DNA sequence: GCGACAG
DNA sequence: ATCTTGTCGC
């Protein structure tokens, strides 16, 4: 578009030029230290997103092949309206705290294949609830410019007390003197999940979105549909 | 030194 | 993440 267009430029979320892929854990840490400054902690993010994306990755037994999937759900009906997959190799060894570098390239490739742009990314892993406050959800949020939240099944950092047994109850996840997320009960009597902000979202809104995505099961429908898709894609690839 | 450690 | 049998419960 020329600078003489009638309309002002759309307020497109600023994508972040992807830094070179790190080759060593030390380089990966340096990338995190650099990108963490770009995380938007204010949000508050969309109160009523039209579409919400789920991202997940499945690995082959051999460990040298993976399939990444993104499913986009209508936030109101939770029906899948778009999806994409990408098969590849793990881009990094698995190191707790550097987990994102393994799956990021494949996840970004899958995101690129979508025909729509989701209003929110729901990631399988943590956001701020990370040793350097830059988990997968922050990384994906900063690189895509999209609002993002992290939903982890097990803790990585922090201390907490179990929330009461009813769906919707939560307790703060604390680490190093700060609140980095929430331990949220998504169904009565099930193990809680660990919700944290990724990018351009408030913790309150992140919690609300996760509850809206868990009408029946412990994990968000976004995660469930993406999990099924990447498993199927991996089976086809083998 | 020992234990913990997203997926 | 993935490897794994049965089992308890709706």
């Amino acid at each position: 578009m020329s600078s003489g267009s009638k309309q002002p430029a759309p307020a497109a979320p600023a994508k972040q030029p992807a830094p070179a892929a790190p080759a060593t854990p030390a380089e990966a840490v340096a990338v995190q230290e650099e990108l963490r400054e770009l995380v938007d902690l204010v949000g508050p993010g969309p109160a009523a997103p039209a579409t919400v994306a789920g991202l997940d990755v499945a690995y082959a037994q051999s460990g040298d092949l993976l399939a990444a999937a993104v499913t986009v759900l209508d936030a109101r009906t939770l029906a899948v309206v778009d999806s994409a997959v990408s098969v590849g190799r793990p881009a990094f060894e698995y190191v707790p705290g550097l987990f994102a570098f393994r799956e990021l390239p494949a996840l970004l490739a899958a995101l690129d294949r979508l025909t729509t742009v989701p209003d929110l990314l729901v990631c399988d892993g943590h956001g701020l609830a990370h040793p350097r406050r830059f988990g997968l959800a922050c990384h994906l949020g900063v690189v895509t410019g999209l609002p993002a939240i992290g939903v982890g099944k097990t803790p990585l950092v922090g201390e907490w007390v179990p929330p009461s047994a009813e769906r919707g109850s939560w307790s703060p996840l604390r680490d190093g003197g700060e609140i980095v997320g929430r331990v949220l009960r998504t169904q009565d009597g099930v193990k809680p999940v660990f919700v944290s902000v990724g990018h351009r979202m408030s913790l309150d809104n992140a919690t609300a979105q996760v509850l809206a995505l868990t009408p029946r099961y412990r994990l968000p429908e976004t995660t469930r549909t993406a999990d099924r898709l990447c498993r199927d894609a991996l089976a086809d690839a083998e």
Side-chain angles (χ1 to χ4, degrees):
Chain A
M1 286 310 199
S2 73
S3 57
S5 353
K6 308 177 185 78
Q7 299 298 322
K15 285 194 180 181
Q16 203 52 42
T24 66
E27 290 177 9
V29 168
V31 170
Q32 291 183 328
E33 301 284 4
E34 176 190 340
L35 295 182
R36 62 183 290 187
E37 307 301 325
L38 303 174
V39 173
D40 179 342
L41 299 176
V42 178
T51 58
V52 186
L55 304 90
D56 194 20
V57 171
Y59 293 83
Q61 314 174 47
S62 45
D64 57 359
L65 189 67
L66 61 74
V70 184
T71 53
V72 180
L73 279 57
D74 178 302
R76 187 178 60 81
T77 65
L78 301 186
V80 177
V81 296
D82 193 8
S83 67
V85 299
S86 171
V87 175
R89 306 274 163 188
F92 207 79
E93 62 188 301
Y94 173 67
V95 179
L98 300 179
F99 162 65
F101 295 95
R102 253 176 109 61
E103 306 189 341
L104 205 63
L107 287 172
L108 292 175
L111 279 168
D112 271 343
R113 295 177 183 175
L114 291 177
T115 59
T116 59
V117 178
D119 294 331
L120 171 66
L121 303 181
V122 178
C123 308
D124 193 28
H126 300 288
L128 292 180
H130 174 278
R132 285 170 296 281
R133 307 291 181 262
F134 197 73
L136 173 66
C138 299
H139 208 142
L140 273 167
V142 166
V143 170
T144 62
L146 297 172
I149 65 178
V151 180
K153 297 180 286 293
T154 62
L156 174 60
V157 297
E159 304 98 49
W160 73 97
V161 295
S164 57
E166 316 80 54
R167 161 178 158 84
S169 65
W170 56 266
S171 58
L173 177 61
R174 295 190 171 86
D175 185 54
E178 48 187 331
I179 294 178
V180 297
R182 282 178 186 171
V183 187
L184 175 67
R185 197 83 68 178
T186 55
Q187 297 297 327
D188 290 356
V190 303
K191 281 175 46 178
V193 298
F194 299 78
V195 178
S196 59
V197 165
H199 186 54
R200 299 178 59 196
M201 287 286 287
S202 68
L203 187 50
D204 275 336
N205 193 14
T207 304
Q209 297 306 325
V210 171
L211 284 175
L213 290 167
T214 51
R216 173 150 189 204
Y217 299 103
R218 176 189 177 229
L219 297 179
E221 288 301 314
T222 38
T223 299
R224 291 169 46 79
T225 52
D227 179 76
R228 284 184 46 182
L229 181 56
C230 63
R231 284 178 193 265
D232 290 346
L234 184 61
D236 291 341
E238 293 185 298

